[in-house]
Amino acid sequence: MPLDENDFSMVIPSDEAPEAADCAVRISGDSMAPYIQDGDIVYVRYGNELRNGDVGIFSVNGAMYCKQYFVDEKRNLHLKSANPERRNMDVYVPADSDDTVEVVGKVLGVRVPV
């Protein structure tokens, strides 16, 4: 889903966020449960330096996702859901696709409510 001002914050309390965090994003949906729940806030570091297995924030053709990142040996992109009940929400982008993919950044952690 697109990010709007209710989901995205450039102001992060410094005593809560990892030092490397650039922004915080509110998650909508349960595809990353049990690790990231619907409504959780995740801390994100901008950039596209991801390794297989990292969790990131992605834009694919304008739709926003929080998924686990994998690139296979043929350079196809797989954005995986952690929740086995939501495998239908996985995103597959073939290497030869015309899809527009942007890596917003790497998820550094989830905000733990006090």
Side-chain angles (χ1 to χ4, degrees), residues 16-112:
E16 295 180 16
E19 189 172 315
D22 293 311
C23 70
V25 176
R26 184 177 310 278
I27 300 301
S28 177
D30 66 350
S31 71
M32 293 305 288
Y35 309 104
I36 301 171
Q37 302 291 334
D38 182 39
D40 279 353
I41 296 173
V42 296
Y43 297 111
V44 179
R45 181 182 68 222
Y46 293 142
N48 58 4
E49 297 295 323
L50 295 178
R51 294 185 176 152
N52 279 347
D54 285 345
V55 175
I57 302 294
F58 306 91
S59 173
V60 179
N61 297 325
M64 301 300 292
Y65 300 94
C66 178
K67 298 286 184 191
Q68 193 170 23
Y69 171 89
F70 290 97
V71 174
D72 66 25
E73 65 281 348
K74 295 181 181 179
R75 309 289 302 151
N76 300 307
L77 175 63
H78 303 263
L79 301 178
K80 300 278 197 171
S81 301
N83 185 343
E85 295 178 11
R86 295 289 187 233
R87 292 289 185 208
N88 62 326
M89 308 262 323
D90 289 358
V91 178
Y92 173 72
V93 182
D96 61 356
S97 170
D98 290 334
D99 290 337
T100 302
V101 178
E102 179 184 354
V103 178
V104 175
K106 179 179 178 178
V107 171
L108 301 177
V110 178
R111 178 178 180 220
V112 178

